[in-house]
Amino acid sequence: MNLNKNYENLEQSYLFSTVAKKVNEYISKNPDKKIIRLGIGDVTRPLCKKVIEAMHKAVDEMGVQATFRGYGPEQGYDFLREAVQKYYKTHNVDLELDEIFISDGAKSDLGNILDLFGEDNTVLVPDPVYPVYVDTNIMAGRKVVFADANGENGFLPMPDENIKADLIYICSPNNPTGAVYNREQLKVWVDYARKLGAIILFDSAYECFISDTELPHSIYEIEGAKECAIEFCSLSKMAGFTGTRCGYTIVPKTLGKLNKMWLRRQTTKFNGVPYIVQRGAEAVFTPEGQEEIKENINYYKENARIISDTLKRCNIRHVGGKHSPYIWLKCPNNMKSWEFFDYLLENAQVVGTPGAGFGRNGEGYFRLTSFGSKENTAEAMQRFEKLFG
Ligand SMILES: *Cc1c(COP(=O)(O)O)cnc(C)c1O
């Protein structure tokens, strides 16, 4: 018996455990202080009514002989794939039904897609980044190179012609920085990928936070992207499905074998998303569902606006917050990420996430999220203003 030795090459992730440990220590020493958590990477608003109704109805169907369902299609029921197809159409993207694969979320598919690629591929990942991209490739023994996202490029790295990448990760709007690529920038990435015969793995988990009509929600809005990109999206941040689990992956048939390979992979290793959840997801794409989820997204965006406005008044440099629930700020007074974490906890009882935990280029930066309540966000920002205003 041999173990997968690649696991030994994973870096231990201490980020969220260290945050929790420091906060608990602080609470035990200062039990009467009110902590405000703006480090949350999870939604907090409940599922919308339309979704709940659809899921209740589906539960009832499951208890009746005539409407009971067992195994469903691995790639998702047609009713949901058609809803996703229509949704893409609103962004002027035409997809065929068999290019749409329903999943239990973007994280699993981002990892699972790597089944389709050889070990010897060079993987290009932005830094700082959502840790899943790096770790899933390390587990498979692939070489990872980084594209620096930093203050100079507005946290939107562009291709380096000297790097011969095979797999390219792009997350836009970005977690953790909240930065978002425009059409021209994505076109440069698409052209670069096509020239190299590389595949872009495009994570659009935050597309529904985009407020500017000029910015692309899907990479397929860019000419040539269907020849070089796979897209991952999720209802997690869009509709509060982080605990309910549903997403979708687009593998265009113009990518050649990959579409059939992904179907084969899914039918072999995956048995689909629960019928009840897919009915809930379908409801998200109805006009009423869209209205209701927009209320929640706007609630978070209002928090992001409060944070961003406060930082502006305090002259704290930051990106994000406009098309994303994340605000990525430069730590004041050149503090390091963890230094600022301690300072903020000690002096304002506000908890955020040290940027250093997302990669080398995250050092000296800090992530705040808009997933808290409006009251808490406003109070946290008053405390910020007292300290830095
Ligand atoms: C939250 C998030 C996802 C969504 O993951 P799910 O598995 O669908 O919950 C995907 N990508 C990024 C960058 C995220 O932050």
Side-chain angles (χ1 to χ4, degrees):
M1 191 285 293
N2 293 313
L3 295 173
N4 180 348
K5 291 223 169 44
N6 297 322
Y7 277 65
E8 289 166 21
N9 300 325
L10 290 167
E11 288 202 30
Q12 275 303 335
S13 173
Y14 297 112
L15 180 60
F16 291 101
S17 57
T18 310
V19 167
K21 191 166 143 249
K22 279 177 179 273
V23 173
N24 288 337
E25 272 169 20
Y26 183 85
I27 292 173
S28 65
K29 282 193 205 130
N30 307 275
D32 41 301
K33 287 262 169 56
K34 183 189 167 194
I35 305 261
I36 299 179
R37 293 169 203 269
L38 295 187
I40 324 163
D42 192 358
V43 295
T44 53
R45 309 284 297 160
L47 294 173
C48 68
K49 274 221 303 286
K50 189 85 186 162
V51 169
I52 294 299
E53 281 166 18
M55 291 205 291
H56 275 301
K57 184 164 168 271
V59 168
D60 289 339
E61 284 176 38
M62 292 297 269
V64 175
Q65 184 69 67
T67 49
F68 165 78
R69 310 242 185 171
Y71 290 124
E74 291 90 344
Q75 61 275 41
Y77 284 104
D78 277 356
F79 62 78
L80 181 53
R81 297 160 87 202
E82 280 160 13
V84 171
Q85 187 183 42
K86 266 202 202 143
Y87 181 66
Y88 269 88
K89 193 76 191 142
T90 64
H91 300 309
N92 294 315
V93 174
D94 289 309
L95 296 175
E96 289 179 45
L97 230 43
D98 52 1
E99 297 178 314
I100 301 167
F101 297 83
I102 304 302
S103 71
D104 63 352
K107 192 198 220 180
S108 351
D109 273 13
L110 280 159
N112 295 336
I113 199 80
L114 295 175
D115 272 14
L116 311 191
F117 301 100
E119 251 171 55
D120 48 353
N121 285 303
T122 297
V123 184
L124 181 63
V125 176
D127 171 345
V129 80
Y130 182 54
V132 172
Y133 310 153
V134 176
D135 288 352
T136 49
N137 278 292
I138 301 281
M139 286 171 180
R142 271 188 212 92
K143 189 175 150 210
V144 178
V145 292
F146 292 98
D148 289 327
N150 50 39
E152 282 88 76
N153 56 31
F155 292 93
L156 295 169
M158 295 306 294
D160 174 348
E161 296 293 333
N162 298 316
I163 293 174
K164 302 283 173 253
D166 301 301
L167 297 174
I168 301 161
Y169 285 84
I170 298 179
C171 177
S172 176
N174 190 271
N175 178 10
T177 68
V180 49
Y181 283 107
N182 64 28
R183 281 170 207 278
E184 293 70 36
Q185 291 166 322
L186 280 186
K187 179 78 170 88
V188 177
W189 276 110
V190 165
D191 291 345
Y192 167 77
R194 290 183 72 188
K195 201 169 112 197
L196 291 176
I199 293 284
I200 294 174
L201 303 173
F202 191 79
D203 184 344
S204 63
Y206 296 95
E207 59 82 17
C208 55
F209 282 83
I210 292 176
S211 7
D212 184 337
T213 49
E214 287 306 303
L215 292 169
H217 289 249
S218 160
I219 190 145
Y220 304 121
E221 293 177 54
I222 311 303
E223 192 208 326
K226 277 193 187 164
E227 274 78 52
C228 68
I230 296 175
E231 182 161 288
F232 303 84
C233 199
S234 164
L235 278 80
S236 282
K237 315 300 164 30
M238 173 201 282
F241 269 56
T242 51
T244 307
R245 310 306 307 144
C246 195
Y248 42 93
T249 295
I250 311 301
V251 188
K253 287 194 276 192
T254 32
L255 292 179
K257 280 188 186 160
L258 283 168
N259 176 279
K260 281 275 167 301
M261 282 172 75
W262 182 242
L263 179 65
R264 184 60 195 259
R265 191 268 169 213
Q266 291 299 79
T267 50
T268 305
K269 296 197 191 181
F270 183 56
N271 252 334
V273 177
Y275 173 70
I276 297 160
V277 171
Q278 291 193 58
R279 281 296 185 194
E282 180 192 24
V284 168
F285 295 104
T286 61
E288 301 95 310
Q290 287 290 301
E291 276 305 307
E292 286 187 76
I293 64 159
K294 253 185 213 112
E295 273 174 42
N296 285 341
I297 291 169
N298 286 339
Y299 181 95
Y300 298 133
K301 277 186 159 167
E302 171 62 9
N303 287 345
R305 190 192 58 77
I306 293 169
I307 296 172
S308 182
D309 284 355
T310 308
L311 296 180
K312 269 182 212 146
R313 284 198 298 275
C314 299
N315 281 319
I316 297 175
R317 271 175 49 207
H318 62 282
V319 293
K322 199 150 180 244
H323 310 290
S324 141
Y326 301 118
I327 291 97
W328 182 251
L329 62 94
K330 175 95 180 70
C331 301
N333 306 321
N334 282 322
M335 275 188 259
K336 295 208 174 246
S337 296
W338 281 106
E339 218 182 321
F340 185 62
F341 177 91
D342 292 333
Y343 180 84
L344 213 53
L345 180 59
E346 199 62 48
N347 296 288
Q349 293 78 48
V350 172
V351 179
T353 313
F358 297 101
R360 198 170 52 87
N361 289 309
E363 182 58 279
Y365 288 87
F366 203 73
R367 191 189 76 174
L368 295 176
T369 85
S370 61
F371 288 132
S373 71
K374 184 172 176 189
E375 295 70 31
N376 279 346
T377 306
E379 190 179 336
M381 287 303 107
Q382 279 165 12
R383 297 181 190 176
F384 247 74
E385 206 139 11
K386 255 195 206 141
L387 276 182
F388 307 107

